[in-house]
Amino acid sequence: MKLQPRKEPRQARSRAMVDTILDAMSRVLVERGYAKTNTNLVAESAGISVGSLYQYFPNKDALIFALRERHVSRMLGLFEDVVAHIDAAGSLREDFDKLIGALVAAHLLEPELNRILEEEFPAYNLPVSSEIRQRFFEAIRRVLEKHRSSITTPDLDVATFVLQRMLKALINAVVLTGPGGLSAGSVRPEILPAVIGYLTAPREDSQA
């Protein structure tokens, strides 16, 4: 399956065209779902010919891959901005409260598209670029490094990996699959104690 675009947009006009196509893909995918989405509908929604679309994307799967990359990049931008503005004097609890808030906000960015990409395509195994995963990892690790003396986890890389997966799972459960009447706002405060508990729990090796 070919997921990469046919060519990378380098000029402003080409980048604008790709954004127009991806905006159209998002609309059609949200309205119709994967099975009923095709390149002809996307081209029509974008106001271009299907031939123009094929100059950039070989098939609808490549469109979904590019759409997910753009969506996750936007989420990353929100998250990195919060990390960059964390107060040097903030406590471990205060800092992770901000991080959790940023991740909830990021998951609520384009919520219907996010729901489709997270719920309909895990089995489809759409990859996310290693650069994006690494930047999320590094942002979390910087906060852990700031609080090295306050946490009991001996390996910051392992702790970062666990937190990255833990936060994604917990926030997805709230934002995407919470039962009716259960809002992100009502559950978000419960995520923080889980994170702080993991980071500060007594370790068996430290008690020996």
Side-chain angles (χ1 to χ4, degrees):
M1 182 188 303
K2 185 173 176 56
L3 295 178
Q4 296 300 324
R6 290 187 187 276
K7 63 179 182 179
E8 294 292 336
R10 300 187 182 278
Q11 298 180 344
R13 182 177 178 182
S14 295
R15 290 195 295 270
M17 174 64 79
V18 167
D19 273 336
T20 296
I21 293 171
L22 294 181
D23 288 343
M25 179 63 182
S26 178
R27 290 192 298 271
V28 174
L29 189 63
V30 168
E31 290 171 2
R32 295 174 174 267
Y34 175 77
K36 295 182 179 179
T37 293
N38 59 57
T39 51
N40 287 323
L41 288 171
V42 174
E44 180 182 349
S45 180
I48 62 174
S49 69
V50 71
S52 295
L53 183 151
Y54 283 139
Q55 289 181 24
Y56 295 94
F57 300 101
N59 50 52
K60 76 173 180 180
D61 294 325
L63 275 166
I64 291 173
F65 175 75
L67 184 62
R68 188 181 187 197
E69 283 285 291
R70 187 181 73 166
H71 176 69
V72 176
S73 293
R74 289 174 173 176
M75 293 171 67
L76 175 63
L78 286 174
F79 187 67
E80 287 184 325
D81 184 63
V82 169
V83 172
H85 291 89
I86 281 181
D87 190 334
S91 68
L92 178 67
R93 179 174 291 273
E94 289 168 341
D95 286 353
F96 270 94
D97 187 51
K98 291 177 181 177
L99 291 190
I100 291 167
L103 284 171
V104 169
H107 280 72
L108 292 174
L109 182 70
E110 302 175 294
E112 283 303 308
L113 174 63
N114 190 55
R115 181 190 61 76
I116 289 173
L117 293 175
E118 291 289 348
E119 292 184 347
E120 294 192 18
F121 295 107
Y124 185 70
N125 199 27
L126 281 174
V128 173
S129 73
S130 58
E131 177 188 356
I132 290 176
R133 288 198 306 269
Q134 185 63 25
R135 284 171 62 185
F136 269 113
F137 181 93
E138 290 172 356
I140 295 172
R141 198 183 194 286
R142 284 198 299 275
V143 179
L144 291 182
E145 287 173 350
K146 174 189 169 185
H147 297 286
R148 188 67 188 93
S149 63
S150 301
I151 63 179
T152 58
T153 49
D155 189 320
L156 290 189
D157 285 340
V158 171
T160 303
F161 175 84
V162 170
L163 281 177
Q164 197 171 5
R165 299 306 187 273
M166 178 192 298
L167 288 169
K168 180 177 175 59
L170 287 171
I171 291 169
N172 276 355
V174 174
V175 174
L176 300 177
T177 60
L182 191 61
S183 69
S186 64
V187 178
R188 177 185 152 186
E190 304 302 317
I191 298 174
L192 183 59
V195 170
I196 300 301
Y198 164 69
L199 291 174
T200 62
R203 307 287 157 172
E204 290 184 6
D205 54 353
S206 66
Q207 297 177 344

